[in-house]
Amino acid sequence: AAGGNRYEMADDAADARAITRHSLTTALPAALERGEFFVEYQPLVRLGDGSVRGAEALVRWSHPQHGILGPDRFIPLAEHTGLIVPLGRWVLDQSVRQAREWQRLFGADEDVLRVNVNLSPCQLHHPRLVAETVEILERTGLEPGALCLEVTESALIGADDDLLKPLRRLAEMGVDIALDDFGTGYSNLANLRRLPVSVLKLDRSFTQGMQQFPADPVDLKIVEGIVSLAHSLDLAVTVEGVETGAQADQLRELGCDTAQGWYYARPGPADQVRALSLVDAAS
Ligand code: C2E
Ligand code: CA
Ligand code: CA
Ligand code: CA
C-alpha cells in the first residue's frame, strides 16, 4: 500500500512465541542451500553534496512460512551454530558481485560506488577470511578499495594481535575497515589508534538523541568531539539512522562525512541504489 518495493518485517514481539528459535535454527542450513536469503542495499550518502557514496548490504531471509525475516531474527542463531561463516561468505560474494555490476554501469573511476558488508566476530576468527576475501575480489575483478568491511566495536574489544592480523592484512590490501555501532561499546578511545580502521560508524543512538528539537546540547558536543577526534586520526565518520532533513543538516554542520538512514532511503533492491545515483548524476 505504501508503494514501491516495500514490505514490513514480521513483528518480533508478536511472532516470537510462534516461531521458535529452535525451528529457525535447524532450518538455516537448508535455507542457505535453497537460496532463501537475499541482500538489500541501503545507500550511503556524502553529506557534503548529497551524492551516493555506496551502499550497505543487509541480509534478509525469505522464509517459506513466516515471510521476510530481518537479520536480528536469525544472525544470532547463525552465529551460535557457526552457519554465519558460509552465510557471511555468501553475502560477501553477492555484495562484491553487485558492486562490480555498479562499476559496469557507472564506470570505475575514483567516484565508484562502494559496498559495505557486515562481518560477524565468528568470521573474524575464521582462518580463511583473508584468503576467501582475496579469492572473491580476484574472481570478480573488484578493486579492494571498493569494499568496506564493517566490524562492530564490541567484536574488537580487547582484541589481541592475532585477531587484528587478518584485518590488518585486508587493510594493507586496500580494503576499508569500518568500526560499526561506534559509541555503544566501552570504547577505549586510545585503543582506536591500534585498530586498522579507516571509518567510524556512529551508532543510531546518537542520531536518535538529535531527533528532539532543539537537540540536546550535550549530545551535540559529544558528536562534535568524536568527529574531531576521528578526523585527527584520519578516520572518516559515517552516521546511521538519519531520519530527517534537520538531522542531516546538523550532522553536516558537525563535520560528519557520510550518512545513511530512512531520510535518504530504506534498505531496498540494488536497483534503488542505481536509480538514486542516476538522479545524482543528472542533477
Ligand atoms: P547495522 O549494521 O547497525 O545496520 C543498520 C540497521 O539500521 C539496519 O537494520 C537498517 O535497516 C537500520 N536502519 C537504517 N536506517 C535507519 C533509520 O533511519 N532508522 C531506523 N530506525 N533504522 C535504520 P537491519 O537491516 O534490521 O539489520 C540489523 C543488523 O543485522 C545490522 O545492524 C547488522 O548488525 C546485522 N546484519 C545485517 N546484515 C548482516 C550480514 O550480512 N552479516 C552480519 N554478520 N550481520 C548483518
Ligand atoms: Ca553495519
Ligand atoms: Ca551500525
Ligand atoms: Ca546499529
Side-chain angles (χ1 to χ4, degrees):
N5 295 311
R6 299 256 308 269
Y7 57 81
E8 301 295 330
M9 283 187 230
D11 171 25
D12 288 34
D15 276 357
R17 274 152 302 179
I19 311 171
T20 67
R21 290 168 59 93
H22 180 73
S23 76
L24 286 183
T25 305
T26 50
L28 277 167
L32 183 58
E33 236 159 72
R34 280 198 295 261
E36 290 174 9
F37 294 98
F38 65 101
V39 178
E40 287 195 317
Y41 298 89
Q42 185 176 35
L44 283 138
V45 173
R46 293 186 188 90
L47 276 162
D49 61 3
S51 61
V52 178
R53 174 74 181 87
E56 178 175 5
L58 296 159
V59 67
R60 281 88 179 81
W61 181 1
S62 179
H63 192 285
Q65 277 93 49
H66 306 303
I68 291 166
L69 302 178
D72 292 338
R73 297 291 289 281
F74 61 85
I75 291 285
L77 307 179
E79 285 177 334
H80 191 70
T81 61
L83 196 85
I84 189 68
V85 171
L87 177 59
R89 187 188 301 132
W90 180 83
V91 173
L92 182 65
D93 187 80
Q94 290 287 304
S95 309
V96 165
R97 281 197 283 167
Q98 183 57 60
R100 190 74 183 101
E101 179 62 21
W102 284 327
Q103 291 195 342
R104 264 193 274 277
L105 295 165
F106 296 107
D109 58 16
E110 71 220 36
D111 270 351
V112 69
L113 289 177
R114 177 164 71 168
V115 75
N116 286 32
V117 180
N118 293 286
L119 270 196
S120 106
C122 314
Q123 291 173 274
L124 219 53
H125 285 98
H126 195 265
R128 293 197 40 79
L129 173 69
V130 175
E132 283 172 4
T133 307
V134 169
E135 189 273 320
I136 291 173
L137 289 171
E138 282 178 351
R139 173 161 42 79
T140 54
L142 190 81
E143 73 270 21
L147 174 65
C148 176
L149 296 174
E150 300 193 358
V151 184
T152 60
E153 201 187 354
S154 55
L156 296 183
I157 298 266
D160 57 13
D161 271 346
D162 280 349
L163 191 69
L164 294 180
K165 218 179 275 169
L167 281 185
R168 275 209 190 97
R169 281 280 319 282
L170 291 165
E172 279 160 16
M173 282 166 43
V175 174
D176 265 315
I177 311 290
L179 199 52
D180 203 358
D181 296 347
F182 184 76
T184 57
Y186 321 85
S187 335
N188 179 347
L189 292 176
N191 211 6
L192 272 180
R193 297 175 49 198
R194 216 167 62 84
L195 304 176
V197 299
S198 46
V199 181
L200 283 193
K201 274 193 97 169
L202 266 193
D203 191 66
R204 192 163 77 225
S205 49
F206 288 100
T207 30
Q208 267 166 352
M210 293 169 61
Q211 288 232 49
Q212 71 234 42
F213 190 83
D216 183 340
V218 176
D219 279 351
L220 295 184
K221 281 271 177 243
I222 291 174
V223 174
E224 199 175 16
I226 292 175
V227 170
S228 86
L229 173 84
H231 285 170
S232 72
L233 295 171
D234 267 332
L235 304 174
V237 178
T238 298
V239 281
E240 50 183 28
V242 178
E243 294 183 354
T244 68
Q247 280 176 323
D249 291 342
Q250 209 146 38
L251 290 160
R252 185 182 308 110
E253 268 166 43
L254 290 171
C256 298
D257 304 289
T258 317
Q260 178 181 358
W262 296 349
Y263 172 62
Y264 301 101
R266 300 214 176 205
D271 274 358
Q272 171 184 245
V273 180
R274 185 172 172 228
L276 274 174
S277 307
L278 290 173
V279 171
D280 215 44
S283 60

